[in-house]
Each structure stands twice: as structure tokens, then as C-alpha cells.
Amino acid sequence: MSGGKPLSRKLHKRHMSSPRESQEGSHTKTVSQAAATTFIKTEEDFLIILSRINALVLNILLRPDESDSLGKDHLKSIVQVNERFHAIWDLTSGCCKTLKLRLGDSSVDVNDIYIVKNQSNLLQVYTEYFLAVTNHIVIKGFDKVSKPTSIYWKTNKRGLKTLIGETDDISLTVFLQRIFTEPFRDHVQTYSLFLSQINGKLAEESGETSSIDSLNTFVNLQKYISQILDEAFQTKMLWVSSSSKLTAALCTPDRRLQEDSKNVQIAVTSGRYDRILLFDDSLVFLQGIETHICDLKTVWVCSSTKQNYFQNFQLLQIITPEEEFVLTSREPQNQAVWQWKLNQLIQQRLIGRRNFPLWGKAGETSDPPTSRVSTYTYKNEGRFKNATYDGDMSWGKPDGKGTLKWPDGRNHVGDFQFGQENGFGVYLVPSSLPDRYDCYKCHWQNGVMQGYGICEYADESVYKGYFKDNMRHGYGILENLASTTDPFKYTGNWHKDKMSGYGVCESTQKSERYIGMWQKNQKHGHGIVLMDSGTCYQGAFALNKFVGSGILLSEDSSVYEGEFTEECLLAGKGKLTFNNGFTLVGSFNKSQTAGLQTQGVLHTSCEDQNGIMKRKFQLGVGLLPVEERWHGIFENFQKFLESGCKRETEESFLGFHVKSNKKLQKSQEYLHCQSDVSGEIEDILKEMSLQLEQESMQCYLEKAFKSSHHPLMKLMKELCVVFQATYSGIGANFHLLSMAQEEIKHYATKIWELYRALKVMAGGANDMAVPAGEDEEERNEALNSYTVVLPILLPYFYADLFMLYMLYYQQEDAYYWQGIVRLGMLTDTKLLQFLDVQK
């Protein structure tokens, strides 16, 4: 911009022409009264300029033009300029008045000069002002002066040019840009020169440089003003030369162009894009009218080397959450410029502000962190399409703690690794019910639910168990007691989201419990049905139907062995044994309307009665092998051992406990759930390796079963759950006593195996060493599951097991007490005779 000298520059020259006055003063940290007076005069002249600009220019620009479609945006922008303009005016005027009040003394302390004392306020108002002005420049606000005011500009053109000391003919746009920048820019230079004179004087007299920090601040402010103006004019020229569609897509008041591949040449190796624009907030790839915008918050930059025909080529790799770009340039310095600017702008974008000056201080450089907190909305096809991720990211991938939100209401909060859900996470899925969700709290691996988890469904049913590939798989418990149609609780094995394998299901509406095999959510295989009335069925099932022959134990202890209908009604050949020992062999047919009809032979001989009463038929023995019942529980503990007992895998394999919420609220507070914290596994193994004797082992196991920090406690807790699910309540039936006995023995055997495996892992492969004097046979007899584990295990199952024993021996107990009562009624003599006591 050419032209005459502006008025502020003349004031600056007048200030510089009075060195004698500035040298007066009797103290090294003071400014002479003459120098202070000159400085105040400079400020007063600057205030006059501000007053004239306000009256002759700014007030005219604030007049709205209703016919201009962009008039509202331009008016909003100039209003911001007006606010920042008056902020400088008010601050300068107030500080000038304060300084005048101190002129009564012969000199003024340096720290009382407001450009030293209030430098932070001055810095703020000037940076905000130039930001508002450059925003107006970028949107071409000075180019589009409203029509009603154009006559005013033409009429007062000559007088207005004197505000900037211009004599040549210039356009109105250039004039407006200069009138709002040059006086302020030159006045900041006046501050710098004034402080420079003070520093020179203090250094000459006493070596003091008390205002050096203030001087550096205004020097940096000059650099900032130059840089922000250069960026604004460069950005404006881009929009002037671009199509209206591109301008509409990219132009915003506060966006600044930093680099253009047309100016500093660099290209995408794939050839997909023909131009690259770098702004202070984004990196834009252009191909015709197509634009691909990358927020710098989610851009990572690294250089790499590619060898081709025995030559090494330097490449610039741009990584974003969904795409990667490789940039190259024939000139290595061009690539270096792009890499440096990208890293600086990414760093500034992450901290939320530009540097001061814009490109930092000379020699300063800092690469942005590779791990950062970012927000990104996915657009490409895939699981994350349209989802917004907010959380930790590394090299374009979610990595750490984060949240995924989909427009359809799905929500995932948890741990991520390498772009996938990995670790503990909470996943909300909206249901068809209003304001209700399926809530999955479980462990994830490579983007799928894997390991232990808890799911609270919208229908208020709850699943606690294991998952594999997003499906219920392995051991788990599904409880739906809130259902009004068919409340039930299933405890058992799952396969690919279906109840399959051994399991126990109790239906509260039917008042029955099924213990046996399942396949695809249906009873399939051998099983036992227990009724609340005491009736028991044992047989084979296929697709929820009773098939073939089976056994019926009625509440009056009669036993039927034979064929049944699909609804467990007697039908076909069979043998019915009554509780008095009579047997009926023949054909049976029982319907709900006609009752039981039979044709056969009745045997009234009671020879087998004592045998039947002694046997007290036991269900499930041999039919449901104990090894197949709860292998899912022990299997996960075994996997935990195979993983090396790592603490980070403990919850995934052994489970955790969280607070339940039936309403499944959507709040963020509900999404974060806390699990119990386990103790250090290294300490647990170390302590275990020290237990060598049977007594010390039992003492250790007793403490382990009670400690929430020990993995064996979680195993024991789950075994108690499945035992109660099978043998308590409806399951308290003496026909299941043998099943319960062999199941507890199996628990002891498996726990002993796992305990030994833990000891081996603890480095105690020889910890079973026999004390001196004992041979191998004695040692094997002394240390086994029955001698070490079973005595510690039994107390946890006493309540349910005792109930089974009591029911089993109920008749014997009744006979016993009847005998006691009869003996109590005898006289002493009769009692002695009964006991065969000699007279």
C-alpha cells in the first residue's frame, strides 16, 4: 500500500525528536515529566484519530442495507469491529487520564506507565481488535459497501484520505482496510519505540532494564499484527479466485489460509486430489468441486522413506480416522515446510488457540502429541458409520477411554485399543419400548463382546454370564422374574446365544424346575422335572417334548416306570409301584379329563417293599454325568490360568459385580459402572507357594474362599450359586441327594486341580514335597481333594445339603421318635425288662 505518511507516524516522529526531555529525571527507574508529557500528547493525538474514524467512517458502516442479501452478516461483522474499536478507545482514554494525574511530580515511576502496568489488558484488546478486523477482511466486508453510503464516500473522498495521510487516488476498499489497520499498527510501534528509549536510558545510567518484558510484548504484538494481516489478505485472495461453491463450502470469518499446494508444491501420490489447502483449523483436499475436509484435531503427520530403483524417497504420511494420504514433493524443502506447518497448526488447534506471535517465537517448535482427546464423526461404511466418537485417540484410532454415540440412540462407553472396543465397556441399545434400553456391561475384545458380562434388557430380564462374538456363550444366568406371562430363571450353559448343554430352569408360573440338557433354547436330551407338589419326572426330551420311557415319582412315594406322552402323562406300557409295595404291570392311559385308566396285573406281594424303601430311588445318577454339569465355570478359571493369571484378564474370565438399575437410564452417570477391585495376583501366588503342609493349605484355602481379592473366592461364589439353583427351593427333594453328593465331591476335585495348578504357576512345582520320613504312598493319601479341600468346602453347602439329608431320612426319623415316645410311656420296671436287664 503506497501513499503519504499517516498522522500516527508523524506523532511517532515528534516523540522520537525529543531525546533531551526523555533523559531528564533524577532516578534510574523513573521517566522524566517531559517524556511523560510527550507520551501523553501522543496518546491524545491517537484518541483524536479514533474519534474522527468513529464519526466519519465507522458510524457510516454501521448503517444497514436491507437490499443486500449478505448485509446482515456484514453488519454483524462490523458490529464486532465497532465493539473492539471502542474497547481500545476506552482503555487508552482511561489510562491516559490516570497518567495525567501523576504529572504533578517531577518524574513518573516506570511501573506506573500503563503500557507497562496494564500490558496484558492492552495486549488483549489489540489482538481482539485485529482479529475482528481481519475477520471482516476475509469475508470481503470492506469490498461490499452498502449502496446508500456510496454517495457519501464519493462526496467526502478527499477529506477522508487525510485520515491516513494519503494523497494518491485509491479504491474505497483499500482505504477502509488501511483506515482500520494502519493507525493502530503504527501506534503499537510507538509503544515499542517509547519503551526502547526507556530501556536505553535506564541501561545507560544504571544498567537497569525493568521494562524489557513489556518491550518484548509489544515487539511480539507487532509481529502478530503483521502475520494476522498477511494471513487475512492471503485468505481473501483465495476466496476471490475460487468458485462460489467452494467459497460457500469453506469460507468462514475466522478461518485462515496457511498454505496452498499451488504456492508450495506438494501432491497426493494416489493422484486422487489435484490441490491441497492448509487452513488454521483444517486440511482440505480438492478435486474439481469435490472437497474432503479433515479437522486438524484428528490429523496425524509422520515422515517415511520409500526405496525405489536404489533411491530413497521422502514421503509425508497424513493419517485421519478413516483415511490415509501420502504426500510427496520434488523439492525436499517444500515437504519440510508442509510438515512443519502441519505440526505447528495441529498443536495450536489442540490447545484451542493460536500462538503469540502466530508462528511462535524464533527457534521454537513442538510436535503435537500422538495420543490426544478428540471428537470425530464417522462417515464411511462400517460398524461406526454416523457414530460420533469422543475420547482418547492415537494415530487416527480410538485408543484409551472413549464414548461412541450413534444417531439411533446406541451408545458405547469404555476402553478402546487400536480402533476397536477392547476392555471393559458399557453398550446401550434402544428398544421398541419408550425410554428403555438393553444395557450390556461386559468385556470386549477386537470390537466384540468377549468374556464375562452383565446385560440388563429392556423387558427387565437380566443376563449374567459369558459372551463370545457378541453372543451369550458359555456359562450364564438369565433371570426374567418380572415377566407377567412366563417368569423364569435359567442357570446353565449357552451356545451362540441359545440355551444349550446342561442347565437348570425354574418357572415360577408353572411351579416347576427342569434339570438337564438343552439345545437351542429347548429341553433336549436327558432331564429331570421337579414339581412344587413333590412329583418328579426323569427321562428323555426332544424339542421340549417328553419322548420314550421314563420315571415318575409321585408325592406319595409311588413310582411309575414306563412310557409317557409328550405332556408327561402316562401312556403305554409301564410298571407302577405303590408306596405299600404293591405293583401294577400293564398298559396305562391318563388324561386330564378321564383320569388314569389301566389294564394289567396287580401284584400284592410286598417282598420288594423293604428294598424299595431302602433304595429311595435317586434321580440323575449315571444319567447326567457330573463332569458335564458345570464345566463352563471351571473352563473359564482354567483359561485364566492359561493366560498367566494376568490382572487385566481376571474380570473377563472370572467376572465382576456391578450395581443393577432396572430402569436403564441413558445418563452418562449410569453408563460408568464400577467393578470390584482384585488384589495383586503376584502377591497371591507368592503367598500360595509358601503353603506346604496340609494344615497350612487348609488355612490358606479358608482365607481364600472368604477374600474378595482372591480368584478362588469368585469360583466358590459361583459354585454356591449353581448349587442353590439346583438343590434349594423346589429342588429340595431327597431324590436328588446322590446328585448333590457327587457334585460337591466333583467341586472338591476340580478345586484341588486348580489349586495345584496355581501353586505350580507360583513357582512351587516341588511344593508338594513330602516331609522327611513319609513315603510317596502316604503322601498321596494325605494330600488329596478329600483331605485338603472337602472339609473346607462343605460348610458353604451345609444348609441345602442338610435339608436333602433331613428329607431323605425323614421316615427313619419318624420311626425313631415314635420309638422314643413309646419308651417314654413305659414304667421303670417295664423299661428295664425291655432292655433285658437282669432282675
Side-chain angles (χ1 to χ4, degrees):
M1 301 177 186
S2 60
K5 297 177 181 177
L7 179 58
S8 59
R9 289 181 181 173
K10 295 178 183 179
L11 294 172
H12 164 227
K13 289 186 69 178
R14 183 194 337 173
H15 172 68
M16 291 294 294
S17 63
S18 54
R20 178 184 299 179
E21 295 176 354
S22 65
Q23 293 175 1
E24 295 181 5
S26 60
H27 198 277
T28 56
K29 293 187 179 181
T30 59
V31 179
S32 67
Q33 187 179 38
T37 302
T38 304
F39 178 73
I40 292 174
K41 184 63 172 71
T42 304
E43 293 295 87
E44 290 175 341
D45 291 341
F46 177 62
L47 292 172
I48 293 173
I49 295 176
L50 295 181
S51 177
R52 296 182 63 191
I53 293 174
N54 179 64
L56 300 177
V57 181
L58 193 53
N59 288 337
I60 305 301
L61 293 177
L62 289 170
R63 298 176 184 175
D65 183 5
E66 302 296 339
S67 63
D68 185 5
S69 59
L70 299 176
K72 292 183 179 180
D73 293 334
H74 292 160
L75 180 62
K76 181 179 178 181
S77 179
I78 199 65
V79 166
Q80 292 180 349
V81 173
N82 179 61
E83 292 174 356
R84 304 295 184 267
F85 177 92
H86 281 84
I88 291 180
W89 193 354
D90 295 340
L91 183 60
T92 306
S93 177
C95 293
C96 187
K97 291 178 181 178
T98 302
L99 186 58
K100 280 184 178 181
L101 297 176
R102 298 182 178 274
L103 287 182
D105 301 328
S106 59
S107 60
V108 179
D109 192 292
V110 170
N111 293 322
D112 288 335
I113 300 177
Y114 61 86
I115 61 173
V116 176
K117 185 177 181 180
N118 299 329
Q119 59 172 317
S120 59
N121 292 339
L122 283 167
L123 182 66
Q124 181 180 352
V125 295
Y126 271 93
T127 53
E128 290 178 351
Y129 171 77
F130 274 96
L131 183 61
V133 170
T134 51
N135 286 347
H136 199 65
I137 292 174
V138 165
I139 64 173
K140 299 179 283 188
F142 292 125
D143 297 40
K144 300 178 179 180
V145 180
S146 61
K147 293 179 181 179
T149 60
S150 59
I151 300 175
Y152 171 83
W153 301 121
K154 292 178 182 179
T155 305
N156 300 277
K157 188 175 183 179
R158 180 176 298 180
L160 292 172
K161 287 194 296 182
T162 60
L163 291 174
I164 55 173
E166 184 60 67
T167 57
D168 298 336
D169 192 15
I170 58 174
S171 67
L172 178 59
T173 300
V174 172
F175 162 74
L176 292 176
Q177 290 174 170
R178 289 178 61 182
I179 196 65
F180 283 101
T181 58
E182 288 187 2
F184 301 88
R185 188 176 187 176
D186 293 338
H187 198 64
V188 171
Q189 187 178 6
T190 302
Y191 289 156
S192 298
L193 293 174
F194 176 72
L195 292 174
S196 179
Q197 279 190 339
I198 294 176
N199 282 331
K201 177 65 175 176
L202 295 177
E204 179 182 343
E205 295 182 355
S206 62
E208 294 285 347
T209 56
S210 59
S211 59
I212 189 67
D213 292 338
S214 300
L215 175 59
N216 290 336
T217 298
F218 286 101
V219 170
N220 288 332
L221 180 57
Q222 287 180 263
K223 294 179 183 178
Y224 171 84
I225 293 171
S226 298
Q227 291 169 348
I228 196 173
L229 287 174
D230 289 343
E231 288 183 0
F233 289 122
Q234 183 180 357
T235 307
K236 176 187 173 183
M237 294 307 300
L238 172 67
W239 305 139
V240 170
S241 60
S242 300
S243 65
S244 58
K245 188 172 183 179
L246 179 64
T247 302
L250 298 177
C251 180
T252 60
D254 54 352
R255 177 171 286 168
R256 302 289 185 268
L257 178 66
Q258 305 297 322
E259 200 55 83
D260 189 341
S261 60
K262 284 187 175 181
N263 301 330
V264 179
Q265 294 185 356
I266 200 167
V268 181
T269 55
S270 63
R272 180 180 172 186
Y273 300 100
D274 55 16
R275 189 178 181 186
I276 308 171
L277 300 176
L278 176 60
F279 294 95
D280 58 340
D281 63 341
S282 57
L283 180 64
V284 181
F285 296 89
L286 301 177
Q287 179 65 48
I289 60 174
E290 178 187 355
T291 62
H292 183 82
I293 305 174
C294 304
D295 190 334
L296 290 181
K297 287 184 177 180
T298 53
V299 171
W300 284 257
V301 182
C302 67
S303 58
S304 59
T305 304
K306 181 180 180 181
Q307 189 174 15
N308 191 11
Y309 298 107
F310 306 103
Q311 292 182 343
N312 291 331
F313 291 90
Q314 292 292 325
L315 303 175
L316 193 61
Q317 192 172 7
I318 308 297
I319 301 172
T320 67
E322 294 187 273
E323 290 189 76
E324 293 187 12
F325 308 90
V326 179
L327 309 183
T328 185
S329 176
R330 294 180 180 179
E331 302 294 334
Q333 61 269 25
N334 289 355
Q335 184 171 315
V337 169
W338 275 87
Q339 183 174 0
W340 181 82
K341 284 194 173 184
L342 275 165
N343 282 329
Q344 296 302 301
L345 290 169
I346 292 172
Q347 175 74 5
Q348 295 177 25
R349 178 75 170 149
L350 290 175
I351 64 177
R353 55 179 173 80
R354 298 292 302 276
N355 287 343
F356 181 80
L358 294 179
W359 291 103
K361 298 178 182 179
E364 287 187 351
T365 181
S366 60
D367 292 337
T370 57
S371 297
R372 61 187 75 153
V373 178
S374 303
T375 302
Y376 183 81
T377 301
Y378 290 88
K379 305 174 183 63
N380 296 346
E381 292 293 335
R383 292 191 306 113
F384 292 172
K385 184 179 180 181
N386 298 326
T388 299
Y389 174 80
D390 185 9
D392 299 327
M393 298 188 81
S394 179
W395 293 109
K397 305 297 182 184
D399 197 280
K401 303 289 185 182
T403 302
L404 269 173
K405 293 182 180 180
W406 284 265
D408 60 4
R410 287 177 294 154
N411 204 326
H412 179 96
V413 178
D415 299 324
F416 292 80
Q417 190 175 27
F418 306 123
Q420 301 281 0
E421 302 94 325
N422 209 86
F424 182 76
V426 181
Y427 182 48
L428 286 182
V429 180
S431 73
S432 57
L433 300 174
D435 297 327
R436 305 299 291 271
Y437 295 81
D438 293 339
C439 178
Y440 298 86
K441 311 171 189 176
C442 59
H443 283 266
W444 297 69
Q445 186 176 354
N446 299 326
V448 295
M449 288 182 281
Q450 200 90 353
Y452 187 83
I454 297 176
C455 180
E456 297 173 335
Y457 298 98
D459 61 358
E460 297 190 12
S461 61
V462 179
Y463 172 79
K464 297 180 181 180
Y466 292 86
F467 289 84
K468 182 180 180 181
D469 297 331
N470 287 335
M471 294 180 288
R472 294 169 292 191
H473 191 91
Y475 165 75
I477 300 173
L478 178 62
E479 190 172 7
N480 188 19
L481 301 180
S483 174
T484 56
T485 56
D486 185 23
F488 70 92
K489 179 180 180 180
Y490 172 82
T491 305
N493 198 65
W494 297 75
H495 182 75
K496 292 185 177 180
D497 221 33
K498 305 291 184 181
M499 293 180 283
S500 297
Y502 180 79
V504 178
C505 183
E506 181 170 345
S507 173
T508 55
Q509 186 179 34
K510 298 178 181 179
S511 298
E512 68 176 32
R513 179 179 296 175
Y514 173 80
I515 304 171
M517 306 306 293
W518 295 75
Q519 185 177 4
K520 295 182 178 179
N521 290 340
Q522 293 181 321
K523 305 179 185 74
H524 193 87
H526 294 294
I528 301 169
V529 177
L530 305 175
M531 307 297 293
D532 192 27
S533 61
T535 304
C536 307
Y537 296 89
Q538 176 178 284
F541 290 81
L543 305 179
N544 270 346
K545 302 295 183 180
F546 202 102
V547 294
S549 59
I551 298 174
L552 168 64
L553 305 175
S554 65
E555 58 271 21
D556 61 356
S557 298
S558 60
V559 180
Y560 171 81
E561 300 173 82
E563 298 176 347
F564 290 84
T565 65
E566 294 180 346
E567 290 77 21
C568 293
L569 298 176
L570 280 64
K573 296 180 179 180
K575 177 182 178 181
L576 177 61
T577 302
F578 297 96
N579 57 2
N580 60 1
F582 294 1
T583 60
L584 179 63
V585 179
S587 298
F588 296 83
N589 184 17
K590 184 177 182 180
S591 65
Q592 296 179 350
T593 55
L596 177 64
Q597 298 177 347
T598 181
Q599 182 179 0
V601 178
L602 176 64
H603 299 274
T604 59
S605 173
C606 299
E607 295 177 358
D608 296 333
Q609 181 176 3
N610 292 333
I612 294 173
M613 295 304 295
K614 251 183 177 181
R615 183 160 53 110
K616 295 184 179 178
F617 191 86
Q618 293 297 293
L619 300 172
V621 179
L623 195 69
L624 299 170
V626 67
E627 295 80 8
E628 298 181 5
R629 293 183 198 169
W630 304 112
H631 62 85
I633 297 176
F634 299 106
E635 181 184 21
N636 287 291
F637 199 99
Q638 187 65 40
K639 289 180 180 179
F640 175 63
L641 294 179
E642 294 171 358
S643 71
C645 293
K646 298 177 181 177
R647 182 179 180 183
E648 57 269 21
T649 64
E650 183 178 349
E651 286 189 351
S652 177
F653 288 126
L654 304 184
F656 55 88
H657 305 281
V658 296
K659 294 181 179 180
S660 176
N661 188 337
K662 294 184 178 180
K663 293 186 177 181
L664 302 177
Q665 299 296 327
K666 192 180 178 182
S667 64
Q668 291 294 319
E669 181 182 355
Y670 175 71
L671 287 175
H672 294 280
C673 56
Q674 301 294 328
S675 59
D676 291 339
V677 180
S678 296
E680 293 294 338
I681 192 66
E682 295 82 3
D683 299 335
I684 291 173
L685 294 177
K686 182 178 179 181
E687 183 181 356
M688 179 178 287
S689 65
L690 301 177
Q691 315 306 322
L692 302 178
E693 302 292 339
Q694 176 179 337
E695 185 177 350
S696 63
M697 290 179 186
Q698 289 181 326
C699 183
Y700 177 84
L701 284 172
E702 190 172 0
K703 290 191 296 183
F705 291 156
K706 295 179 180 179
S707 172
S708 61
H709 297 281
H710 203 289
L712 287 175
M713 180 269 180
K714 294 184 178 180
L715 176 63
M716 173 58 69
K717 187 171 185 178
E718 213 58 56
L719 292 177
C720 291
V721 168
V722 297
F723 193 84
Q724 290 177 0
T726 309
Y727 304 109
S728 67
I730 298 177
N733 191 303
F734 69 86
H735 296 295
L736 299 180
L737 177 60
S738 295
M739 272 188 68
Q741 289 173 332
E742 64 178 7
E743 195 162 306
I744 292 178
K745 293 177 183 178
H746 181 66
Y747 294 166
T749 302
K750 296 298 293 184
I751 290 176
W752 178 244
E753 293 175 2
L754 297 173
Y755 176 78
R756 289 172 63 92
L758 278 171
K759 286 183 71 69
V760 171
M761 180 171 295
N766 299 319
D767 57 8
M768 300 298 182
V770 185
E774 287 191 279
D775 57 19
E776 185 70 18
E777 184 177 351
E778 290 175 344
R779 166 213 165 193
N780 291 335
E781 184 179 352
L783 299 177
N784 55 57
S785 60
Y786 296 137
T787 59
V788 178
V789 181
L790 193 58
I792 308 301
L793 196 66
L794 279 174
Y796 290 89
F797 305 98
Y798 269 156
D800 298 313
L801 192 60
F802 179 76
M803 178 62 70
L804 294 177
Y805 272 106
M806 187 178 69
L807 294 173
Y808 186 84
Y809 292 104
Q810 185 176 9
Q811 190 170 8
E812 286 80 351
D813 287 344
Y815 291 154
Y816 172 78
W817 286 108
Q818 285 178 11
I820 296 296
V821 171
R822 287 174 182 174
L823 291 175
M825 297 174 64
L826 298 177
T827 64
D828 293 344
T829 304
K830 294 285 186 183
L831 181 60
L832 292 172
Q833 290 177 354
F834 176 81
L835 297 174
D836 293 330
V837 177
Q838 295 181 359
K839 293 184 179 180

